[in-house]
Amino acid sequence: MGEMTLVWRHLPRPLCLVTSTLRILEMRPFLSCASWTSVTKLSLHTGPRMPPCDFTPEKYQSLGYDRVLEIHKEHLSPVETAFFRKPLLLHQGHMEWLFDAEGNRYLDFFSGILTISVGHCHPKVNAVAEKQLGRLWHTSPTFFHAPIHEYAEKLAALLPEPLKVIFLVNDGSEANDLAMLMARAHSNNIDIISFSLPGFSLLSYSVDQELDPILLLFLLCRGAYHGCSPYILDLTNVGNYKMQLPGGIGCQSTMCPDVFRGPWGGSHCRDSPVQTIRKCSCVPDCCQAKDQYIEQFKDTLSTSVTKSIAGFFAEPIQGVNGVVQYPKGFLKEAFELVRARGGVCIADEVQTGFGRLGSHFWGFQTHDVLPDIVTMAKGIGNGFPMAAVVTTPEIAKSLAKRLHHFNTFGGNPLACAIGSAVLEVIKEENLQENSQEVGTYMLLKFAKLQDEFEIVGDVRGKGLMIGIEMVQDKTSRQPLPLEEVNQIHEDCKNMGLLVGKGGIFAQTFRIAPPMCITKLEADFAVEVFRSALTQHMERRAK
């Protein structure tokens, strides 16, 4: 299949190399419009020039940068979440591009943490939102409106039977909260009540419905991230998101089946065009690492939870933990073990869904499993606050019997109109296919950096969800110190490329652009990253 061409965009364009001493902006004629071209120059280096963009941002006319810093310090959360020593003040976005308050242009390869699916301010999504804004914003669930029914029908058509009942909420944490509640309601119908939570989680509890307190037992995969709401915080096993105060009760963690950083895994284990450079005794059709991680999973079931478990929550690919992939066949066998003990299986598709992985629309499909509950958010609304929980009629009825569930803003007319537009754009512009083609193309190019740089320990992923794990050296696999990772991150930004970070030690660069990117832009990103690594190695040598 050839490189995707979107009817209203102009592709492809030549890639040039330039040098300069400062990041500047040039106005160049392009077609009938002016285009901002960001030019970077690094001392002693030739940096790749950005591909042109046929969009001119509005002039920034709001708060000055110093005033923004003052207001942030005085009135906003003191938790440090912003990237870079001097955080970017963003002003406008267009498809895969972002513009800051000074007019500098950046190629967005993190998509607002995998949230911008079809492109910043996509023209069709914008038009649908504007039309709905002028018609009806909000009703609450006490009234019917057409957009929610239209959206439910479209979304349900994309999921296999019996996943056909949809609960609309506002973000991923809320979706995972509801999935937990839903599992509780369903499990309360049996003597040993089971309910599952987001993530690699196993949960079980027993209760005398009239007298005894609820006892919860969760089994989590270390490295899982499922949100920061108080209800589900203990399902998250990434250090920065853990609290020193008591949280949920009975949560148990199990070994993450990470074929690069874990004790087992090697060159045949992942469902990816790129395998870890570690050697293993596996063969293509028989993954011994999977068998060993399953034994660890069984050990946890035997020693850390009760005989009847409630459920198992899994991200198809761990996002916050640095795009960690499991051995082929692991989830399928784990699901079987969970169900043998009466538990339900939940797929957290907040970061992996809606075609981002390329080969399939949903991440769970890449593992050949069928979950009982699916949670989704982020890319569902292309940046608009929206999320969903999809389950079976049986589980949905269990919730309805136990709880009069109500969500004031979930499924509001504006969100549903936008959600429908996003699904239409994904289909009309072949963005899942684009994720597969451009993502695989880019993944293979990034993988070549492992041969060029000793500090590139692992390159992994599927479609447009890629992780590049940085190490001190390939032998020890010790994480590259955070200070060095941050400098490489800054260098990429200075050349006009925005990427994310993840992993237990923030040692992995997360590459997840909007699904509309082109091979030309992928080439630019790879060359920027190579330049940043070259600079870093030269600094190390001094």
Side-chain angles (χ1 to χ4, degrees), residues 18-28 35-42 48-50 99-100 102-106 493-496:
V18 297
T19 57
S20 65
T21 53
L22 297 171
R23 180 179 181 80
I24 63 171
L25 291 171
E26 294 181 340
M27 288 296 293
R28 297 181 183 273
S35 68
W36 291 93
T37 301
S38 180
V39 181
T40 300
K41 172 173 165 191
L42 303 166
R49 177 184 289 175
M50 282 186 175
F99 301 84
D100 68 14
E102 298 175 358
N104 297 313
R105 177 163 61 97
Y106 303 89
K493 181 261 295 180
N494 291 338
M495 287 185 278

mmCIF file of all heavy atoms in Angstrom, residues 18-28 35-42 48-50 99-100 102-106 493-496:
data_model
loop_
_atom_site.group_PDB
_atom_site.id
_atom_site.type_symbol
_atom_site.label_atom_id
_atom_site.label_comp_id
_atom_site.label_asym_id
_atom_site.label_seq_id
_atom_site.Cartn_x
_atom_site.Cartn_y
_atom_site.Cartn_z
ATOM 1 N N VAL A 18 20.081 22.208 6.922
ATOM 2 C CA VAL A 18 20.559 23.575 7.034
ATOM 3 C C VAL A 18 21.371 23.704 8.310
ATOM 4 O O VAL A 18 21.314 22.867 9.193
ATOM 5 C CB VAL A 18 19.391 24.590 7.087
ATOM 6 C CG1 VAL A 18 18.589 24.551 5.807
ATOM 7 C CG2 VAL A 18 18.503 24.321 8.290
ATOM 8 N N THR A 19 22.107 24.788 8.416
ATOM 9 C CA THR A 19 22.783 25.120 9.659
ATOM 10 C C THR A 19 22.473 26.555 10.006
ATOM 11 O O THR A 19 22.244 27.393 9.153
ATOM 12 C CB THR A 19 24.312 24.968 9.533
ATOM 13 O OG1 THR A 19 24.759 25.795 8.449
ATOM 14 C CG2 THR A 19 24.689 23.536 9.275
ATOM 15 N N SER A 20 22.424 26.825 11.302
ATOM 16 C CA SER A 20 22.222 28.185 11.793
ATOM 17 C C SER A 20 22.685 28.209 13.230
ATOM 18 O O SER A 20 23.019 27.202 13.795
ATOM 19 C CB SER A 20 20.748 28.597 11.699
ATOM 20 O OG SER A 20 19.965 27.818 12.541
ATOM 21 N N THR A 21 22.682 29.383 13.854
ATOM 22 C CA THR A 21 23.113 29.458 15.242
ATOM 23 C C THR A 21 21.943 29.560 16.200
ATOM 24 O O THR A 21 22.090 29.282 17.366
ATOM 25 C CB THR A 21 24.018 30.683 15.450
ATOM 26 O OG1 THR A 21 23.343 31.824 14.958
ATOM 27 C CG2 THR A 21 25.315 30.492 14.724
ATOM 28 N N LEU A 22 20.791 29.951 15.725
ATOM 29 C CA LEU A 22 19.625 30.090 16.584
ATOM 30 C C LEU A 22 18.423 29.495 15.900
ATOM 31 O O LEU A 22 18.370 29.383 14.692
ATOM 32 C CB LEU A 22 19.341 31.573 16.887
ATOM 33 C CG LEU A 22 20.416 32.332 17.662
ATOM 34 C CD1 LEU A 22 20.061 33.809 17.667
ATOM 35 C CD2 LEU A 22 20.519 31.808 19.086
ATOM 36 N N ARG A 23 17.447 29.125 16.727
ATOM 37 C CA ARG A 23 16.176 28.678 16.162
ATOM 38 C C ARG A 23 15.466 29.922 15.652
ATOM 39 O O ARG A 23 15.235 30.863 16.392
ATOM 40 C CB ARG A 23 15.350 27.997 17.251
ATOM 41 C CG ARG A 23 14.023 27.491 16.770
ATOM 42 C CD ARG A 23 13.306 26.810 17.917
ATOM 43 N NE ARG A 23 12.036 26.313 17.438
ATOM 44 C CZ ARG A 23 11.904 25.188 16.754
ATOM 45 N NH1 ARG A 23 12.957 24.479 16.458
ATOM 46 N NH2 ARG A 23 10.732 24.788 16.352
ATOM 47 N N ILE A 24 15.144 29.978 14.351
ATOM 48 C CA ILE A 24 14.501 31.151 13.763
ATOM 49 C C ILE A 24 13.310 30.702 12.962
ATOM 50 O O ILE A 24 13.068 29.526 12.772
ATOM 51 C CB ILE A 24 15.483 31.941 12.862
ATOM 52 C CG1 ILE A 24 15.912 31.054 11.678
ATOM 53 C CG2 ILE A 24 16.680 32.425 13.649
ATOM 54 C CD1 ILE A 24 16.703 31.807 10.640
ATOM 55 N N LEU A 25 12.552 31.663 12.504
ATOM 56 C CA LEU A 25 11.411 31.377 11.647
ATOM 57 C C LEU A 25 11.611 32.064 10.311
ATOM 58 O O LEU A 25 12.030 33.209 10.241
ATOM 59 C CB LEU A 25 10.120 31.894 12.290
ATOM 60 C CG LEU A 25 9.688 31.139 13.548
ATOM 61 C CD1 LEU A 25 8.539 31.867 14.217
ATOM 62 C CD2 LEU A 25 9.242 29.736 13.174
ATOM 63 N N GLU A 26 11.320 31.340 9.248
ATOM 64 C CA GLU A 26 11.388 31.919 7.918
ATOM 65 C C GLU A 26 10.008 31.860 7.292
ATOM 66 O O GLU A 26 9.301 30.872 7.428
ATOM 67 C CB GLU A 26 12.352 31.128 7.042
ATOM 68 C CG GLU A 26 13.795 31.204 7.497
ATOM 69 C CD GLU A 26 14.686 30.411 6.547
ATOM 70 O OE1 GLU A 26 14.160 29.538 5.830
ATOM 71 O OE2 GLU A 26 15.877 30.678 6.542
ATOM 72 N N MET A 27 9.608 32.907 6.624
ATOM 73 C CA MET A 27 8.377 32.876 5.847
ATOM 74 C C MET A 27 8.730 32.512 4.418
ATOM 75 O O MET A 27 9.513 33.196 3.771
ATOM 76 C CB MET A 27 7.695 34.247 5.880
ATOM 77 C CG MET A 27 7.065 34.588 7.225
ATOM 78 S SD MET A 27 5.733 33.465 7.650
ATOM 79 C CE MET A 27 4.558 33.890 6.395
ATOM 80 N N ARG A 28 8.185 31.374 3.960
ATOM 81 C CA ARG A 28 8.482 30.933 2.606
ATOM 82 C C ARG A 28 7.175 30.716 1.867
ATOM 83 O O ARG A 28 6.211 30.222 2.436
ATOM 84 C CB ARG A 28 9.257 29.618 2.632
ATOM 85 C CG ARG A 28 10.622 29.717 3.313
ATOM 86 C CD ARG A 28 11.316 28.375 3.256
ATOM 87 N NE ARG A 28 12.593 28.401 3.943
ATOM 88 C CZ ARG A 28 13.724 28.771 3.383
ATOM 89 N NH1 ARG A 28 13.739 29.136 2.124
ATOM 90 N NH2 ARG A 28 14.845 28.765 4.065
ATOM 91 N N SER A 35 4.150 29.608 4.632
ATOM 92 C CA SER A 35 4.344 28.532 5.600
ATOM 93 C C SER A 35 5.488 28.897 6.531
ATOM 94 O O SER A 35 6.481 29.472 6.119
ATOM 95 C CB SER A 35 4.655 27.220 4.888
ATOM 96 O OG SER A 35 5.907 27.286 4.277
ATOM 97 N N TRP A 36 5.286 28.534 7.795
ATOM 98 C CA TRP A 36 6.353 28.747 8.774
ATOM 99 C C TRP A 36 7.341 27.593 8.647
ATOM 100 O O TRP A 36 6.981 26.442 8.765
ATOM 101 C CB TRP A 36 5.771 28.760 10.188
ATOM 102 C CG TRP A 36 4.928 29.954 10.463
ATOM 103 C CD1 TRP A 36 3.578 30.055 10.317
ATOM 104 C CD2 TRP A 36 5.376 31.219 10.935
ATOM 105 N NE1 TRP A 36 3.154 31.305 10.676
ATOM 106 C CE2 TRP A 36 4.227 32.041 11.069
ATOM 107 C CE3 TRP A 36 6.623 31.751 11.268
ATOM 108 C CZ2 TRP A 36 4.302 33.353 11.524
ATOM 109 C CZ3 TRP A 36 6.684 33.048 11.721
ATOM 110 C CH2 TRP A 36 5.537 33.830 11.846
ATOM 111 N N THR A 37 8.598 27.932 8.459
ATOM 112 C CA THR A 37 9.629 26.901 8.421
ATOM 113 C C THR A 37 10.577 27.126 9.579
ATOM 114 O O THR A 37 11.191 28.176 9.689
ATOM 115 C CB THR A 37 10.414 26.955 7.099
ATOM 116 O OG1 THR A 37 9.502 26.758 6.027
ATOM 117 C CG2 THR A 37 11.485 25.873 7.082
ATOM 118 N N SER A 38 10.645 26.150 10.470
ATOM 119 C CA SER A 38 11.517 26.265 11.617
ATOM 120 C C SER A 38 12.902 25.784 11.244
ATOM 121 O O SER A 38 13.054 24.709 10.698
ATOM 122 C CB SER A 38 10.947 25.419 12.741
ATOM 123 O OG SER A 38 11.745 25.506 13.850
ATOM 124 N N VAL A 39 13.890 26.588 11.551
ATOM 125 C CA VAL A 39 15.258 26.232 11.189
ATOM 126 C C VAL A 39 16.096 26.166 12.446
ATOM 127 O O VAL A 39 16.006 27.020 13.305
ATOM 128 C CB VAL A 39 15.858 27.289 10.230
ATOM 129 C CG1 VAL A 39 17.266 26.896 9.829
ATOM 130 C CG2 VAL A 39 14.983 27.438 9.002
ATOM 131 N N THR A 40 16.860 25.109 12.564
ATOM 132 C CA THR A 40 17.671 24.935 13.747
ATOM 133 C C THR A 40 19.126 24.810 13.374
ATOM 134 O O THR A 40 19.461 24.225 12.390
ATOM 135 C CB THR A 40 17.259 23.655 14.463
ATOM 136 O OG1 THR A 40 15.915 23.781 14.811
ATOM 137 C CG2 THR A 40 18.070 23.422 15.679
ATOM 138 N N LYS A 41 19.968 25.371 14.237
ATOM 139 C CA LYS A 41 21.374 25.160 14.024
ATOM 140 C C LYS A 41 22.013 24.884 15.332
ATOM 141 O O LYS A 41 21.776 25.543 16.276
ATOM 142 C CB LYS A 41 21.964 26.368 13.411
ATOM 143 C CG LYS A 41 23.402 26.306 13.342
ATOM 144 C CD LYS A 41 23.845 27.437 12.599
ATOM 145 C CE LYS A 41 25.202 27.787 12.652
ATOM 146 N NZ LYS A 41 25.690 28.837 12.220
ATOM 147 N N LEU A 42 22.780 23.800 15.379
ATOM 148 C CA LEU A 42 23.498 23.408 16.563
ATOM 149 C C LEU A 42 24.971 23.599 16.266
ATOM 150 O O LEU A 42 25.412 23.348 15.178
ATOM 151 C CB LEU A 42 23.231 21.940 16.853
ATOM 152 C CG LEU A 42 21.752 21.629 17.000
ATOM 153 C CD1 LEU A 42 21.539 20.135 16.929
ATOM 154 C CD2 LEU A 42 21.217 22.152 18.288
ATOM 155 N N PRO A 48 18.508 18.660 10.660
ATOM 156 C CA PRO A 48 17.533 18.516 9.582
ATOM 157 C C PRO A 48 16.499 19.626 9.595
ATOM 158 O O PRO A 48 16.024 20.024 10.661
ATOM 159 C CB PRO A 48 16.896 17.155 9.857
ATOM 160 C CG PRO A 48 17.148 16.887 11.286
ATOM 161 C CD PRO A 48 18.413 17.585 11.651
ATOM 162 N N ARG A 49 16.183 20.131 8.418
ATOM 163 C CA ARG A 49 15.140 21.146 8.309
ATOM 164 C C ARG A 49 13.778 20.474 8.330
ATOM 165 O O ARG A 49 13.577 19.433 7.732
ATOM 166 C CB ARG A 49 15.295 21.933 7.014
ATOM 167 C CG ARG A 49 14.167 22.962 6.816
ATOM 168 C CD ARG A 49 14.278 23.670 5.484
ATOM 169 N NE ARG A 49 15.405 24.575 5.465
ATOM 170 C CZ ARG A 49 15.774 25.251 4.377
ATOM 171 N NH1 ARG A 49 15.122 25.085 3.240
ATOM 172 N NH2 ARG A 49 16.795 26.071 4.424
ATOM 173 N N MET A 50 12.837 21.123 8.993
ATOM 174 C CA MET A 50 11.484 20.585 9.048
ATOM 175 C C MET A 50 10.850 20.549 7.672
ATOM 176 O O MET A 50 11.045 21.446 6.861
ATOM 177 C CB MET A 50 10.598 21.476 9.927
ATOM 178 C CG MET A 50 10.779 21.292 11.400
ATOM 179 S SD MET A 50 9.533 22.296 12.234
ATOM 180 C CE MET A 50 9.845 21.812 13.913
ATOM 181 N N PHE A 99 2.512 25.127 17.606
ATOM 182 C CA PHE A 99 3.171 26.432 17.540
ATOM 183 C C PHE A 99 3.190 27.042 18.936
ATOM 184 O O PHE A 99 2.173 27.029 19.638
ATOM 185 C CB PHE A 99 2.430 27.370 16.582
ATOM 186 C CG PHE A 99 2.328 26.843 15.177
ATOM 187 C CD1 PHE A 99 1.317 25.957 14.826
ATOM 188 C CD2 PHE A 99 3.240 27.211 14.209
ATOM 189 C CE1 PHE A 99 1.210 25.456 13.540
ATOM 190 C CE2 PHE A 99 3.159 26.720 12.917
ATOM 191 C CZ PHE A 99 2.138 25.834 12.574
ATOM 192 N N ASP A 100 4.347 27.583 19.330
ATOM 193 C CA ASP A 100 4.405 28.214 20.646
ATOM 194 C C ASP A 100 4.096 29.699 20.544
ATOM 195 O O ASP A 100 3.801 30.228 19.451
ATOM 196 C CB ASP A 100 5.748 27.946 21.328
ATOM 197 C CG ASP A 100 6.934 28.624 20.653
ATOM 198 O OD1 ASP A 100 6.729 29.530 19.803
ATOM 199 O OD2 ASP A 100 8.084 28.251 20.970
ATOM 200 N N GLU A 102 5.878 32.202 20.632
ATOM 201 C CA GLU A 102 6.828 32.979 19.837
ATOM 202 C C GLU A 102 6.728 32.658 18.347
ATOM 203 O O GLU A 102 7.472 33.213 17.546
ATOM 204 C CB GLU A 102 8.257 32.715 20.333
ATOM 205 C CG GLU A 102 8.471 33.141 21.790
ATOM 206 C CD GLU A 102 9.852 32.767 22.293
ATOM 207 O OE1 GLU A 102 10.621 32.149 21.521
ATOM 208 O OE2 GLU A 102 10.166 33.085 23.447
ATOM 209 N N GLY A 103 5.822 31.735 17.998
ATOM 210 C CA GLY A 103 5.650 31.380 16.599
ATOM 211 C C GLY A 103 6.503 30.218 16.135
ATOM 212 O O GLY A 103 6.451 29.843 14.962
ATOM 213 N N ASN A 104 7.310 29.635 17.032
ATOM 214 C CA ASN A 104 8.132 28.483 16.658
ATOM 215 C C ASN A 104 7.250 27.271 16.390
ATOM 216 O O ASN A 104 6.255 27.040 17.083
ATOM 217 C CB ASN A 104 9.127 28.155 17.768
ATOM 218 C CG ASN A 104 10.119 29.273 18.013
ATOM 219 O OD1 ASN A 104 10.691 29.817 17.076
ATOM 220 N ND2 ASN A 104 10.308 29.633 19.272
ATOM 221 N N ARG A 105 7.625 26.500 15.419
ATOM 222 C CA ARG A 105 6.850 25.330 15.007
ATOM 223 C C ARG A 105 7.539 24.052 15.466
ATOM 224 O O ARG A 105 8.758 23.924 15.398
ATOM 225 C CB ARG A 105 6.690 25.322 13.473
ATOM 226 C CG ARG A 105 5.950 24.105 12.932
ATOM 227 C CD ARG A 105 5.477 24.362 11.503
ATOM 228 N NE ARG A 105 6.541 24.624 10.555
ATOM 229 C CZ ARG A 105 7.072 23.709 9.749
ATOM 230 N NH1 ARG A 105 6.630 22.472 9.782
ATOM 231 N NH2 ARG A 105 8.012 24.041 8.888
ATOM 232 N N TYR A 106 6.742 23.107 15.929
ATOM 233 C CA TYR A 106 7.253 21.829 16.417
ATOM 234 C C TYR A 106 6.458 20.685 15.804
ATOM 235 O O TYR A 106 5.240 20.771 15.646
ATOM 236 C CB TYR A 106 7.134 21.731 17.940
ATOM 237 C CG TYR A 106 7.836 22.841 18.681
ATOM 238 C CD1 TYR A 106 7.175 24.028 18.985
ATOM 239 C CD2 TYR A 106 9.169 22.707 19.079
ATOM 240 C CE1 TYR A 106 7.808 25.055 19.666
ATOM 241 C CE2 TYR A 106 9.816 23.729 19.763
ATOM 242 C CZ TYR A 106 9.123 24.897 20.053
ATOM 243 O OH TYR A 106 9.757 25.921 20.720
ATOM 244 N N LYS A 493 13.838 18.901 21.226
ATOM 245 C CA LYS A 493 12.923 20.056 21.219
ATOM 246 C C LYS A 493 13.553 21.243 20.507
ATOM 247 O O LYS A 493 12.892 21.946 19.721
ATOM 248 C CB LYS A 493 12.546 20.424 22.662
ATOM 249 C CG LYS A 493 11.586 21.596 22.781
ATOM 250 C CD LYS A 493 12.296 22.918 23.111
ATOM 251 C CE LYS A 493 12.932 22.869 24.475
ATOM 252 N NZ LYS A 493 13.624 24.158 24.805
ATOM 253 N N ASN A 494 14.823 21.475 20.750
ATOM 254 C CA ASN A 494 15.500 22.613 20.121
ATOM 255 C C ASN A 494 15.588 22.464 18.609
ATOM 256 O O ASN A 494 15.736 23.448 17.887
ATOM 257 C CB ASN A 494 16.900 22.784 20.711
ATOM 258 C CG ASN A 494 16.863 23.248 22.159
ATOM 259 O OD1 ASN A 494 15.865 23.816 22.609
ATOM 260 N ND2 ASN A 494 17.933 22.992 22.887
ATOM 261 N N MET A 495 15.505 21.242 18.115
ATOM 262 C CA MET A 495 15.491 21.017 16.675
ATOM 263 C C MET A 495 14.071 20.871 16.135
ATOM 264 O O MET A 495 13.882 20.552 14.964
ATOM 265 C CB MET A 495 16.326 19.768 16.338
ATOM 266 C CG MET A 495 17.817 20.002 16.469
ATOM 267 S SD MET A 495 18.811 18.569 15.944
ATOM 268 C CE MET A 495 18.737 17.561 17.413
ATOM 269 N N GLY A 496 13.070 21.087 17.005
ATOM 270 C CA GLY A 496 11.692 21.121 16.540
ATOM 271 C C GLY A 496 10.918 19.832 16.663
ATOM 272 O O GLY A 496 9.859 19.689 16.052
#
